[in-house]
PDB file of all heavy atoms in Angstrom:
ATOM      1  N   ASP E  97    -104.959 -70.042 -49.649  1.00 78.00           N
ATOM      2  CA  ASP E  97    -105.052 -71.456 -50.016  1.00 78.00           C
ATOM      3  C   ASP E  97    -103.714 -71.976 -50.533  1.00 78.00           C
ATOM      4  O   ASP E  97    -103.389 -73.161 -50.359  1.00 78.00           O
ATOM      5  CB  ASP E  97    -106.133 -71.649 -51.083  1.00 78.00           C
ATOM      6  CG  ASP E  97    -107.534 -71.391 -50.542  1.00 78.00           C
ATOM      7  OD1 ASP E  97    -107.692 -71.430 -49.300  1.00 78.00           O
ATOM      8  OD2 ASP E  97    -108.441 -71.131 -51.354  1.00 78.00           O
ATOM      9  N   PHE E 140    -111.807 -41.692 -39.388  1.00 79.00           N
ATOM     10  CA  PHE E 140    -112.674 -40.631 -38.888  1.00 79.00           C
ATOM     11  C   PHE E 140    -112.996 -39.613 -39.992  1.00 79.00           C
ATOM     12  O   PHE E 140    -113.044 -38.418 -39.743  1.00 79.00           O
ATOM     13  CB  PHE E 140    -112.009 -39.935 -37.703  1.00 79.00           C
ATOM     14  CG  PHE E 140    -111.916 -40.789 -36.469  1.00 79.00           C
ATOM     15  CD1 PHE E 140    -110.878 -41.693 -36.316  1.00 79.00           C
ATOM     16  CD2 PHE E 140    -112.881 -40.711 -35.487  1.00 79.00           C
ATOM     17  CE1 PHE E 140    -110.798 -42.501 -35.199  1.00 79.00           C
ATOM     18  CE2 PHE E 140    -112.810 -41.514 -34.355  1.00 79.00           C
ATOM     19  CZ  PHE E 140    -111.769 -42.417 -34.208  1.00 79.00           C
ATOM     20  N   ARG E 598     -54.883 -72.587 -55.943  1.00 91.00           N
ATOM     21  CA  ARG E 598     -55.324 -71.542 -55.023  1.00 91.00           C
ATOM     22  C   ARG E 598     -56.366 -72.119 -54.071  1.00 91.00           C
ATOM     23  O   ARG E 598     -57.149 -72.997 -54.434  1.00 91.00           O
ATOM     24  CB  ARG E 598     -55.917 -70.344 -55.777  1.00 91.00           C
ATOM     25  CG  ARG E 598     -54.947 -69.662 -56.723  1.00 91.00           C
ATOM     26  CD  ARG E 598     -55.483 -68.307 -57.170  1.00 91.00           C
ATOM     27  NE  ARG E 598     -55.400 -67.340 -56.092  1.00 91.00           N
ATOM     28  CZ  ARG E 598     -54.353 -66.541 -55.874  1.00 91.00           C
ATOM     29  NH1 ARG E 598     -53.296 -66.593 -56.683  1.00 91.00           N
ATOM     30  NH2 ARG E 598     -54.352 -65.700 -54.884  1.00 91.00           N
ATOM     31  N   GLN E 600     -59.244 -71.137 -50.797  1.00 92.00           N
ATOM     32  CA  GLN E 600     -59.984 -70.081 -50.133  1.00 92.00           C
ATOM     33  C   GLN E 600     -60.884 -70.667 -49.047  1.00 92.00           C
ATOM     34  O   GLN E 600     -61.294 -71.828 -49.109  1.00 92.00           O
ATOM     35  CB  GLN E 600     -60.839 -69.288 -51.128  1.00 92.00           C
ATOM     36  CG  GLN E 600     -62.020 -70.039 -51.688  1.00 92.00           C
ATOM     37  CD  GLN E 600     -62.851 -69.183 -52.632  1.00 92.00           C
ATOM     38  OE1 GLN E 600     -62.345 -68.314 -53.327  1.00 92.00           O
ATOM     39  NE2 GLN E 600     -64.151 -69.436 -52.676  1.00 92.00           N
ATOM     40  N   ILE E 631     -57.169 -59.366 -70.179  1.00 93.00           N
ATOM     41  CA  ILE E 631     -56.406 -60.117 -71.187  1.00 93.00           C
ATOM     42  C   ILE E 631     -57.246 -61.259 -71.742  1.00 93.00           C
ATOM     43  O   ILE E 631     -57.231 -61.549 -72.943  1.00 93.00           O
ATOM     44  CB  ILE E 631     -55.096 -60.646 -70.573  1.00 93.00           C
ATOM     45  CG1 ILE E 631     -54.199 -59.477 -70.159  1.00 93.00           C
ATOM     46  CG2 ILE E 631     -54.363 -61.565 -71.535  1.00 93.00           C
ATOM     47  CD1 ILE E 631     -52.972 -59.882 -69.358  1.00 93.00           C
ATOM     48  N   SER E 726     -84.451 -42.125 -76.758  1.00 87.00           N
ATOM     49  CA  SER E 726     -84.431 -40.721 -77.171  1.00 87.00           C
ATOM     50  C   SER E 726     -83.306 -39.941 -76.507  1.00 87.00           C
ATOM     51  O   SER E 726     -83.209 -38.721 -76.697  1.00 87.00           O
ATOM     52  CB  SER E 726     -85.771 -40.069 -76.826  1.00 87.00           C
ATOM     53  OG  SER E 726     -86.004 -40.120 -75.425  1.00 87.00           O
ATOM     54  N   PHE E 729     -82.198 -37.870 -70.357  1.00 90.00           N
ATOM     55  CA  PHE E 729     -81.663 -38.359 -69.087  1.00 90.00           C
ATOM     56  C   PHE E 729     -82.431 -37.791 -67.893  1.00 90.00           C
ATOM     57  O   PHE E 729     -81.903 -37.736 -66.782  1.00 90.00           O
ATOM     58  CB  PHE E 729     -80.178 -37.989 -68.976  1.00 90.00           C
ATOM     59  CG  PHE E 729     -79.324 -38.655 -70.015  1.00 90.00           C
ATOM     60  CD1 PHE E 729     -78.991 -38.001 -71.184  1.00 90.00           C
ATOM     61  CD2 PHE E 729     -78.879 -39.951 -69.836  1.00 90.00           C
ATOM     62  CE1 PHE E 729     -78.219 -38.609 -72.152  1.00 90.00           C
ATOM     63  CE2 PHE E 729     -78.103 -40.570 -70.795  1.00 90.00           C
ATOM     64  CZ  PHE E 729     -77.760 -39.902 -71.961  1.00 90.00           C
ATOM     65  N   ARG E 798     -76.739 -23.732 -47.440  1.00 90.00           N
ATOM     66  CA  ARG E 798     -77.349 -23.078 -46.277  1.00 90.00           C
ATOM     67  C   ARG E 798     -77.127 -23.900 -45.005  1.00 90.00           C
ATOM     68  O   ARG E 798     -76.937 -23.339 -43.919  1.00 90.00           O
ATOM     69  CB  ARG E 798     -78.844 -22.869 -46.520  1.00 90.00           C
ATOM     70  CG  ARG E 798     -79.145 -21.888 -47.640  1.00 90.00           C
ATOM     71  CD  ARG E 798     -80.588 -21.400 -47.602  1.00 90.00           C
ATOM     72  NE  ARG E 798     -80.906 -20.608 -48.781  1.00 90.00           N
ATOM     73  CZ  ARG E 798     -80.520 -19.358 -48.976  1.00 90.00           C
ATOM     74  NH1 ARG E 798     -79.785 -18.743 -48.048  1.00 90.00           N
ATOM     75  NH2 ARG E 798     -80.844 -18.710 -50.075  1.00 90.00           N
ATOM     76  N   SER E 861     -61.003 -23.121 -81.177  1.00 52.00           N
ATOM     77  CA  SER E 861     -62.054 -24.091 -81.477  1.00 52.00           C
ATOM     78  C   SER E 861     -61.946 -24.633 -82.886  1.00 52.00           C
ATOM     79  O   SER E 861     -62.486 -25.691 -83.195  1.00 52.00           O
ATOM     80  CB  SER E 861     -63.437 -23.451 -81.260  1.00 52.00           C
ATOM     81  OG  SER E 861     -63.610 -22.357 -82.141  1.00 52.00           O
ATOM     82  N   GLY E 883     -67.956 -29.184 -76.958  1.00 89.00           N
ATOM     83  CA  GLY E 883     -66.584 -29.252 -76.467  1.00 89.00           C
ATOM     84  C   GLY E 883     -65.660 -28.196 -77.039  1.00 89.00           C
ATOM     85  O   GLY E 883     -65.013 -27.457 -76.280  1.00 89.00           O
ATOM     86  N   MET E 894     -54.489 -20.733 -68.867  1.00 91.00           N
ATOM     87  CA  MET E 894     -54.811 -22.085 -68.411  1.00 91.00           C
ATOM     88  C   MET E 894     -54.497 -23.111 -69.492  1.00 91.00           C
ATOM     89  O   MET E 894     -54.014 -24.205 -69.209  1.00 91.00           O
ATOM     90  CB  MET E 894     -56.284 -22.172 -68.011  1.00 91.00           C
ATOM     91  CG  MET E 894     -56.665 -21.304 -66.824  1.00 91.00           C
ATOM     92  SD  MET E 894     -58.400 -21.536 -66.349  1.00 91.00           S
ATOM     93  CE  MET E 894     -58.547 -20.337 -65.022  1.00 91.00           C
ATOM     94  N   VAL E 902     -51.817 -29.194 -62.867  1.00 92.00           N
ATOM     95  CA  VAL E 902     -51.919 -27.735 -62.749  1.00 92.00           C
ATOM     96  C   VAL E 902     -53.183 -27.241 -63.436  1.00 92.00           C
ATOM     97  O   VAL E 902     -53.882 -26.352 -62.923  1.00 92.00           O
ATOM     98  CB  VAL E 902     -50.662 -27.064 -63.351  1.00 92.00           C
ATOM     99  CG1 VAL E 902     -50.812 -25.547 -63.328  1.00 92.00           C
ATOM    100  CG2 VAL E 902     -49.424 -27.499 -62.591  1.00 92.00           C
TER     101      VAL E 902
END
Side-chain angles (χ1 to χ4, degrees):
D97 292 341
F140 291 83
R598 299 194 73 91
Q600 70 178 32
I631 296 171
S726 61
F729 296 96
R798 294 196 188 284
S861 62
M894 296 183 183
V902 176

